Amino acid sequence: MRTVPMYLSLAMLSILHATTTAFVPPTSFLTKTTTTPTTSSFQMSKDADMTPEEREIAVEKALKAMTAFSNKYIANTSTKYCSDLSIPAVVIKGLAEHKVTLGAPLCPCRYYSDKEKEAKDGFWNCPCVPMRERHECHCMLFLTEDNDFVGDATEISFDQVNELSGGAPGIV
């Protein structure tokens, strides 16, 4: 049986779950981008000019889209969700948040010094290159049968994602 890499420990996933469900980026969120090696500028995130109502609608729409995408990708790749469905729920929520703030479903399980640059690069946009090439999902969203944490679920509903992830910001 294959052993799970250290970076996929349950402790780390618990931390991810705790921080992701509590984090709501403000609408005035700014990201720093470097224009030249000596100067820099600030660009507003994609949702910076949205009203709270518009952002709520955008997040709900993105959450529904990322849930549908995840279910379709599971079916197309013969992978499954984690046995603890709160793991994929939190990851899907993070992908939806990034879709709204960055315009792309950037992997929410990694640290980036410049999220906007990474989203434009596309390497870590879901499904990331390691998943497409080797079926290795760092987030534990798409698991192969040989993964110790694989469950039986091949589908998750919008309501499950919303409930298990602590609810999308502004979505009741």
Side-chain angles (χ1 to χ4, degrees), residues 95 105-107 110 112 118 121-130 138:
L95 291 168
L106 184 66
C107 172
R110 303 184 60 80
Y112 309 99
E118 290 291 343
D121 177 49
F123 187 89
W124 292 112
N125 289 348
C126 190
C128 65
V129 172
H138 172 81

Side-chain angles (χ1 to χ4, degrees), residues 70-151:
S70 298
N71 287 331
K72 181 85 169 165
Y73 197 78
I74 287 273
N76 289 342
T77 58
S78 300
T79 54
K80 294 182 178 181
Y81 289 119
C82 182
S83 56
D84 177 358
L85 284 178
S86 68
I87 302 296
V90 169
V91 174
I92 292 168
K93 179 181 177 182
L95 291 168
E97 282 286 332
H98 282 164
K99 195 156 177 60
V100 172
T101 59
L102 301 169
L106 184 66
C107 172
C109 302
R110 303 184 60 80
Y111 169 78
Y112 309 99
S113 58
D114 186 342
K115 285 184 179 184
E116 192 170 279
K117 179 179 178 272
E118 290 291 343
K120 285 180 185 173
D121 177 49
F123 187 89
W124 292 112
N125 289 348
C126 190
C128 65
V129 172
M131 181 61 203
R132 290 183 302 223
E133 290 181 355
R134 300 182 301 277
H135 282 231
E136 293 174 2
C137 183
H138 172 81
C139 295
M140 293 184 60
L141 179 57
F142 308 117
L143 301 179
T144 56
E145 286 292 335
D146 61 345
N147 188 297
D148 291 341
F149 300 102
V150 70

Side-chain angles (χ1 to χ4, degrees), residues 31-43 114:
T31 53
K32 183 178 180 180
T33 57
T34 303
T35 53
T36 67
T38 58
T39 63
S40 64
S41 66
F42 285 91
Q43 290 185 335
D114 186 342

